[in-house]
Amino acid sequence: MAAKSDGGGGPAVRLESPEGGGERRAGGAAPPARRYRLRDGCWVLCALLVCFADGASDLWLAAHYYVRGQRWWFGLTLLFVLLPSLVVQLLSFRWFVYDFAAGTKDSAGSTKDSARGPRGCCRLCVWLLQGLIHLLQLGQVWRYLRTLYLGLQSRWQAEHRRRHFYWRMMFESADISMLRLLETFLKSAPQLVLQLSIMVQQNSIEPLQGLSASASLVSLAWMIASYQKVLRDSREDKMPMSYKGAVVQILWHLFTIAARAIAFALFASVFQLYFGIFIVTHWCIMTFWIIQGETDFCMSKWEEIIYNMVVGIIYIFCWFNVKEGRSRYRMCIYYIITLSENAALTVLWFLYYDRKTTSDFDALILVCVVSSSFALGIFFMFIYYCLLHPNGPMFSPRAGGCIFRQRPAPAPGPPADAVTSPPRSLPRTTGGERDGAPGERDSCVPVFQVRPCAPPAPAARAPRTEGPVIRIDLPRKKYPAWDAHFIDRRLRKTILALEYASPTTPRLQYRTAGAPQEVLEYETTV
């Protein structure tokens, strides 16, 4: 069975049964094997609550400014609410238009209850309802509720339909994560700096201002952690992030973004023009740094450039990994730059702030808040990487490397045409092996010949090797990019259609270039 994406320019996709010969899964991805749990639903409800709190507090504060006659603050607050929301709602509605139009053309991608597809007045009602939802700026709320519905259906349905609903839930989770991440850094981040600047200028904190700033800060930290969790859950070649790790990552970003935003607000309260120049310069440098890294997130060149520009906005406030490799080194460089900028902005404000409105004691308190908040954020970052990272603790003896003297156990080569899995951990060297060959006692070369970094057990979710295969004529994108079937909606529609038509849940297989790392990550045919 074969199918092809619409438009003629999409990748070829075909479904093959297991009888079609030996399968090779180098560069493949299996459908999600996890079940939807109660904690997953609670996480979605908490995300929905954070979304509500962020938007409602900003609108309430804007109305408060209007009633008090502070039209300038009212205009800026409302602008940072409506403009980003309109951009995100247009993007969300565009995705709905494509998905709904594709669903009505190809009824195979629907469930059995709606296999005939919506027609006539039903289609008109769906269009009107979605138009009203997005006109009222509730597109994200609808997507959160839909994610919760699909997740619950994946628990209640039979095995085959359970997999189908879980797959659709993961697609919806990816959509809402991308939309909310875009919205928070276009709306919540500037809103946070604006309200903090107003507090510093007025030398007072009103309850509504504190509520709005707190909701914006929590929304920013929450969405970064939620985005990373959904991204890891979507990829079979990566271990999923635990909820403990997600909570610690929220605290990490909460405190670092708070320190960054307070430093921005302090500097902007005295040097408005220079603050604008600083933000534009920092954004240009970060965007150039990201483009120079040659990211591979989107399906076209122009989409990739726009994506890099958006990530440049994120880099104004916090770290965001966009490339596979030595991310910890790049993160260290970023935080050194951020620490230097925070210190410079805070010191300049401390030297030139208005002594008539702010006392020396209050100014010293603000400087201590900036430094201690940043230190707390770095502390939680170390907690995450040392104890709660999905790949295992950074300083665990199972992390691999020369310092722990780990060597692989000798094993005979597999027979021809056999499918094997790579070892998930490297056993310790025995005494006999240690004394066997002269000159090899202090050598770590065999470790790096097998695998440069052996993940701790359990290192990965066990891939499926049985059942039909959906072959995608595309190379698989490297983490931390989304797989192509999560960002290409034509490919997503085709996969859902083939998956529903198959009697058993198929697995995905991307085209492989035969890279050694891919051979080590997945099965290989010898």
Side-chain angles (χ1 to χ4, degrees), residues 247 271 340 355:
V247 171
F271 306 99
S340 302
R355 264 71 179 177

Side-chain angles (χ1 to χ4, degrees), residues 33 59 225 228 248 251 284 306 311 316 428 457 471 476 495 513:
L59 291 175
Q228 296 293 340
V248 171
L251 295 175
C284 292
I306 295 174
V311 175
I316 295 175
R428 295 184 180 274
R471 296 185 181 274
R476 190 175 193 185
I495 288 174

Side-chain angles (χ1 to χ4, degrees), residues 318-366:
C318 66
W319 164 257
F320 189 76
N321 188 23
V322 293
K323 187 180 179 182
E324 188 181 38
R326 298 182 176 181
S327 59
R328 293 172 186 173
Y329 295 129
R330 297 194 301 269
M331 183 174 60
C332 289
I333 294 174
Y334 173 82
Y335 276 118
I336 290 174
I337 295 174
T338 300
L339 178 61
S340 302
E341 290 178 346
N342 289 352
L345 296 177
T346 307
V347 167
L348 287 174
W349 170 82
F350 188 79
L351 294 176
Y352 294 99
Y353 74 93
D354 189 359
R355 264 71 179 177
K356 297 179 181 178
T357 59
T358 306
S359 64
D360 293 341
F361 178 75
D362 292 339
L364 187 61
I365 289 295
L366 289 173

Side-chain angles (χ1 to χ4, degrees), residues 174-482:
D175 287 346
I176 188 61
S177 297
M178 296 178 200
L179 290 172
R180 282 288 292 146
L181 186 72
L182 177 64
E183 183 185 36
T184 51
F185 279 95
L186 292 181
K187 182 183 76 171
S188 302
Q191 191 74 258
L192 175 61
V193 175
L194 173 64
Q195 302 309 322
L196 289 175
S197 300
I198 296 174
M199 295 177 200
V200 173
Q201 285 192 355
Q202 295 179 344
N203 197 24
S204 63
I205 302 177
E206 299 181 6
L208 281 180
Q209 290 175 335
L211 179 63
S212 174
S214 301
S216 298
L217 180 60
V218 172
S219 182
L220 285 166
W222 183 284
M223 280 318 303
I224 296 174
S226 179
Y227 177 91
Q228 296 293 340
K229 176 170 174 53
V230 174
L231 176 58
R232 276 191 165 270
D233 289 346
S234 71
R235 295 192 61 113
E236 286 293 321
D237 58 335
K238 293 294 178 179
M239 285 294 295
M241 183 187 298
S242 66
Y243 283 104
K244 292 180 181 179
V247 171
V248 171
Q249 197 172 114
I250 289 174
L251 295 175
W252 158 20
H253 293 295
L254 183 75
F255 287 107
T256 53
I257 294 176
R260 188 76 165 159
I262 295 173
F264 284 171
L266 294 177
F267 187 76
S269 65
V270 178
F271 306 99
Q272 290 86 359
L273 177 61
Y274 292 109
F275 174 70
I277 296 175
F278 165 77
I279 289 295
V280 173
T281 303
H282 182 89
W283 174 76
C284 292
I285 293 174
M286 291 294 108
T287 303
F288 176 77
W289 186 29
I290 297 166
I291 294 176
Q292 186 269 339
E294 298 180 354
T295 60
D296 184 25
F297 271 69
C298 303
M299 305 303 295
S300 68
K301 177 183 177 182
W302 291 109
E303 289 178 346
E304 193 72 28
I305 293 176
I306 295 174
Y307 171 82
N308 290 336
M309 294 171 67
V310 173
V311 175
I313 298 176
I314 298 177
Y315 269 39
I316 295 175
F317 294 90
C318 66
W319 164 257
F320 189 76
N321 188 23
V322 293
K323 187 180 179 182
E324 188 181 38
R326 298 182 176 181
S327 59
R328 293 172 186 173
Y329 295 129
R330 297 194 301 269
M331 183 174 60
C332 289
I333 294 174
Y334 173 82
Y335 276 118
I336 290 174
I337 295 174
T338 300
L339 178 61
S340 302
E341 290 178 346
N342 289 352
L345 296 177
T346 307
V347 167
L348 287 174
W349 170 82
F350 188 79
L351 294 176
Y352 294 99
Y353 74 93
D354 189 359
R355 264 71 179 177
K356 297 179 181 178
T357 59
T358 306
S359 64
D360 293 341
F361 178 75
D362 292 339
L364 187 61
I365 289 295
L366 289 173
V367 173
C368 293
V369 167
V370 173
S371 56
S372 60
S373 179
F374 188 82
L376 270 175
I378 298 300
F379 169 76
F380 282 111
M381 180 190 72
F382 277 106
I383 292 294
Y384 172 75
Y385 278 104
C386 295
L387 300 177
L388 298 171
H389 194 275
N391 291 343
M394 181 189 299
F395 301 113
S396 169
R398 294 178 296 179
C402 290
I403 191 171
F404 299 111
R405 304 295 183 200
Q406 293 179 329
R407 295 183 61 183
D417 300 329
V419 178
T420 61
S421 298
R424 295 305 183 188
S425 61
L426 298 176
R428 295 184 180 274
T429 305
T430 62
E433 292 171 339
R434 191 180 297 115
D435 299 331
E440 291 183 357
R441 180 170 181 173
D442 297 328
S443 175
C444 288
V445 175
V447 173
F448 294 102
Q449 285 178 347
V450 176
R451 174 171 289 185
C453 181
R461 289 166 277 185
R464 295 170 60 244
T465 56
E466 75 284 350
V469 180
I470 296 178
R471 296 185 181 274
I472 303 174
D473 190 20
L474 279 176
R476 190 175 193 185
K477 292 179 176 293
K478 295 182 178 180
Y479 181 83
W482 295 90

